[in-house]
Amino acid sequence: MAKQVRIGLVGYQFMGKAHSNAYRQLHRFFPELGVEPVLKALCGRSEEKVKAAAEKFGFESYETDYRKLVERDDIDIIDIVTPGDTHVEIAIAAAKAGKMVFCEKPLASSVDKVQQMCDAVNAAGVRNATCFNYRGVPAIKLAKQMIQDGVLGKIYHWRSVYLQDWILDPNFPIVWRLQGDIAGSGSHGDLVAHSIDLAHYLVGDITEVSGMMDTFIKQRPILAESDDRLGGKASDQMGDVTVDDSSIFLARFAGGAVGTFEATRLAAGRKNHNKFEINGSKGSIVFNMERMNELEYYNHDDPTELKGFRTIQTTDGSHPYTGNYWPVGHIIGYEHTFINLIHDMLQAWTTGAEFHPDFNDGLKCQRVLDAVKASSDDRAWKSI
């Protein structure tokens, strides 16, 4: 009989839906894991909304105060998917209550705040994880294995772009993701944080950066319901946008590679264009999240007449995770990145093995985020 692990989830919007679905599906696709998540309680500020969400997502109960949630003795894991300004206090409270903590990225808005979270879980001795869900993409797992096996040789270049366009309309109102005191940053923390983590995961530590961050649409309509973080009807009043629209930076890696990073939410026509290319002495790989079941690979040792990028369909049972889903060629999607990451997390936590990405990985990412911001402010290279 599968061991039950009891989930207390704080937050119920986009990420709340993604995490809830992953917990519900995990045991169905990975029964051999021997762990079955139980959706014990959902937490949110509005009783009416959180009650409806709890019923919709399949939670047994709900709370309107995270302090009550973390003190419950029928909860094993506190999963935090709220806006970034609340992560620190919830994570610290959960750690002090002896709960395992799983938190969305970025962990907080500064290195000092993330360090507080790391100190809390370390002091309490509780397991912890950061939700960099793209580590759960089969093609990215394959890329990791190829690099470890030396297929690409010595790595010379990393280049990534993460492009969206959902705030391109200047009349789009100021939601919480456009407010620095809540979100911490714009495309920088929302998007490029993912690219930084993947670069750390695949290429290695970043040691130095030089960046620039810009806000192009500096004012937007204020929501008529000013306290509604989730959106609402825009008013006739205008307010200042206090996060970046664009983040671009150069980087040097500890292993000698160099990299470029770009992220924006004003790239017309791009929806979730999370793409990277890695060039090595023996070949190259290219990944694009909008074609997440594919990995492009170039082998420099191929005969001249056969040279060119090949497309690997990472849907065969021999590829990471995909043998647990559908027959070859029957693709998986965005939701499965969460299922796969949570599978790895619970597998490690059950066996006592080390798990990444943990809070230390979140801290490593935040150090780069902060250094890029400082570089943009000072117009100078910054060491990590």
Side-chain angles (χ1 to χ4, degrees):
M1 188 172 181
K3 176 183 178 181
Q4 292 187 340
V5 58
R6 300 163 298 179
I7 310 299
L9 181 64
V10 190
Y12 51 84
Q13 291 298 317
F14 176 25
M15 283 298 105
K17 181 185 295 186
H19 286 225
S20 299
N21 177 70
Y23 290 124
R24 288 198 308 270
Q25 299 301 329
L26 180 67
H27 187 61
R28 296 179 175 92
F29 289 105
F30 293 93
E32 75 284 354
L33 179 62
V35 176
E36 182 175 9
V38 177
L39 300 182
K40 209 69 182 177
L42 183 66
C43 184
R45 296 175 303 166
S46 165
E47 182 170 8
E48 179 183 0
K49 291 180 180 179
V50 74
K51 180 180 179 181
E55 293 174 355
K56 180 179 179 180
F57 296 158
F59 281 84
E60 295 179 8
S61 62
Y62 67 89
E63 298 284 357
T64 57
D65 187 337
Y66 76 83
R67 298 170 188 84
K68 292 183 179 179
L69 182 73
V70 301
E71 293 299 332
R72 285 177 53 160
D73 58 10
D74 61 345
I75 301 291
D76 300 307
I77 297 175
I78 297 296
D79 186 343
I80 307 166
V81 299
T82 52
D85 64 325
T86 62
H87 289 180
V88 178
E89 61 186 75
I90 300 172
I92 291 175
K96 287 182 177 179
K99 311 300 186 186
M100 296 178 279
V101 190
F102 183 36
C103 187
E104 265 297 332
K105 47 57 60 185
L107 289 180
S109 59
S110 70
V111 168
D112 289 344
K113 291 180 179 180
V114 178
Q115 187 66 62
Q116 291 176 39
M117 298 170 71
C118 290
D119 291 345
V121 295
N122 290 335
V126 297
R127 304 301 296 264
N128 53 89
T130 304
C131 190
F132 287 115
N133 62 293
Y134 292 123
R135 291 201 191 194
V137 175
I140 291 175
K141 282 289 189 198
L142 177 61
K144 174 71 170 179
Q145 190 61 54
M146 292 170 70
I147 292 169
Q148 287 181 329
D149 292 345
V151 174
L152 300 187
K154 180 176 176 56
I155 303 302
Y156 296 136
H157 291 282
W158 162 279
R159 62 182 61 83
S160 64
V161 294
Y162 201 150
L163 313 176
Q164 297 179 345
D165 72 353
W166 61 276
I167 57 170
L168 188 62
D169 183 354
N171 293 316
F172 187 91
I174 296 181
V175 294
W176 71 266
R177 287 191 181 275
L178 302 179
Q179 300 175 47
D181 58 338
I182 298 175
S185 62
S187 62
H188 194 52
D190 187 23
L191 304 181
V192 81
H194 278 299
S195 301
I196 292 168
D197 180 69
L198 289 178
H200 282 155
Y201 177 58
L202 296 171
V203 179
D205 288 354
I206 296 170
T207 59
E208 193 176 13
V209 295
S210 177
M212 58 181 184
M213 298 168 61
D214 292 278
T215 303
F216 300 113
I217 302 175
K218 300 184 185 300
Q219 286 197 321
R220 291 178 178 274
I222 297 174
L223 291 173
E225 299 179 29
S226 59
D227 63 340
D228 186 356
R229 295 182 175 194
L230 309 175
K233 185 178 180 181
S235 70
D236 294 331
Q237 293 181 297
M238 301 295 287
D240 294 333
V241 174
T242 52
V243 299
D244 58 281
D245 286 329
S246 171
S247 171
I248 302 173
F249 67 95
L250 307 176
R252 293 189 182 278
F253 291 84
V258 296
T260 63
F261 295 75
E262 179 181 1
T264 182
R265 299 185 295 206
L266 295 177
R270 297 299 189 185
K271 305 307 174 185
N272 196 40
H273 192 75
N274 177 9
K275 184 176 182 179
F276 65 78
E277 178 170 332
I278 301 174
N279 308 122
S281 60
K282 294 182 179 180
S284 299
I285 53 175
V286 180
F287 172 78
N288 180 2
M289 183 59 195
E290 291 182 340
R291 303 178 68 91
M292 65 165 283
N293 290 272
E294 299 176 0
L295 185 68
E296 294 182 69
Y297 167 52
Y298 177 86
N299 182 0
H300 185 64
D301 292 332
D302 279 344
T304 301
E305 65 273 16
L306 297 179
K307 280 185 175 174
F309 277 93
R310 69 189 70 171
T311 300
I312 302 170
Q313 296 288 338
T314 60
T315 58
D316 188 84
S318 62
H319 291 124
Y321 307 116
T322 49
N324 289 78
Y325 292 105
W326 319 120
V328 62
H330 295 66
I331 60 177
I332 63 172
Y334 175 72
E335 66 186 86
H336 299 90
T337 67
F338 294 91
I339 300 172
N340 296 339
L341 183 70
I342 290 174
H343 165 271
D344 291 351
M345 178 182 77
L346 294 182
Q347 183 179 59
W349 288 3
T350 300
T351 62
E354 187 174 331
F355 174 75
H356 294 281
D358 61 6
F359 276 18
N360 287 326
D361 294 299
L363 178 60
K364 184 188 296 187
C365 178
Q366 192 65 48
R367 287 193 177 113
V368 178
L369 291 171
D370 282 16
V372 172
K373 176 65 167 60
S375 172
S376 178
D377 291 343
D378 297 345
R379 301 193 173 208
W381 280 87
K382 297 293 182 180
S383 297
I384 308 302

